[in-house]
Amino acid sequence: VEGMLDRKQELQAGGKKATIRSWKNFYTVLYGQIMAFYKDKEGAAEKQPVSPCIFLHNATCEIAKDYTKKKHVFRLKLGDGADFLLEASSEASMQDWLAKINHY
Ligand code: I3P
């Protein structure tokens, strides 16, 4: 699964509040248990990530019901305590990401 996602980091590894908290837009690709972040589809084709990839081992994700400022937002909690909000472009797209991420 791949596509544009807006991402905001809420917690860093260890569970500390993240210092850089703005939303950023990435062309996001899931390769098995690795989530990679590119500028756009071309960047993905050229394998030129613009942000460190995320390892989904021990990660969980669910709809971010507590986050009401945007629609179609889900929360990804990593095994190391980091926590990201991810905004999909539609309900269907969000459900697709949730299903694929929770499959691992
Ligand atoms: C952040 C930016 C985010 C905002 C975050 C701000 O500021 O405005 O959009 O999150 O609020 O810290 P900056 O661009 O200066 O980094 P929301 O969109 O969720 O409000 P937060 O610190 O309350 O998470």
Side-chain angles (χ1 to χ4, degrees):
V1 60
E2 59 184 79
M4 295 305 299
L5 284 181
D6 273 13
R7 188 189 78 183
K8 175 190 174 186
Q9 186 162 16
E10 291 209 302
L11 302 177
Q12 307 172 358
K16 265 181 60 180
K17 190 173 174 184
T19 49
I20 300 172
R21 309 188 55 80
S22 52
W23 285 93
K24 293 185 192 127
N25 188 249
F26 296 108
Y27 190 81
T28 307
V29 184
L30 196 60
Y31 304 103
Q33 289 196 79
I34 295 175
M35 211 172 187
F37 301 94
Y38 304 97
K39 179 172 178 285
D40 51 25
K41 203 178 172 79
E42 289 66 44
E46 291 162 11
K47 293 273 187 326
Q48 297 194 326
V50 291
S51 178
C53 63
I54 284 177
F55 295 91
L56 296 180
H57 184 65
N58 290 332
T60 59
C61 73
E62 58 183 20
I63 297 173
K65 293 211 180 72
D66 59 319
Y67 191 83
T68 52
K69 293 180 187 175
K70 289 169 174 271
K71 282 183 179 174
H72 321 308
V73 176
F74 60 99
R75 176 174 281 109
L76 181 62
K77 294 181 189 225
L78 305 190
D80 67 5
D83 189 321
F84 294 87
L85 290 173
L86 296 155
E87 182 197 23
S89 53
S90 67
E91 175 71 20
S93 165
M94 179 179 75
Q95 293 296 350
D96 199 24
W97 281 103
L98 285 170
K100 297 290 189 327
I101 292 168
N102 281 328
H103 177 74
Y104 292 101

